[in-house]
Each structure stands twice: as structure tokens, then as C-alpha cells.
Amino acid sequence: MGVADVIIAGAIVAGACYILYATLWKKKGCCGCEGGSCCKK
């Protein structure tokens, strides 16, 4: 793998980790969405 491949792979992994953090931990529960409730029963 070249330097460009390593950079691209790192960017993909970093983006995936950011999305995972933003969707799971940032909400702090099922009703963490702004502008409405995510806990529809």
C-alpha cells in the first residue's frame, strides 16, 4: 500500500468512528434528537 492508500483508509476509519459516536453516544438516550421525539411508542 502506498501513502495515499493509507491516508484514504485512515480517513474512512475516522469518518466511520465519528458517525458511530454521533449516532450512539451523543444522543444520550433514545430521546436525544433535536426538534422532536425519537421515542415514538
Side-chain angles (χ1 to χ4, degrees):
M1 287 186 2
V3 176
D5 293 331
V6 173
I7 292 173
I8 292 170
I12 291 172
V13 170
C17 290
Y18 173 77
I19 292 170
L20 185 66
Y21 167 76
T23 56
L24 294 180
W25 290 287
K26 195 173 180 182
K27 287 184 180 181
K28 296 181 182 175
C30 62
C31 296
C33 296
E34 295 180 6
S37 177
C38 297
C39 300
K40 295 181 180 179
K41 295 181 180 179

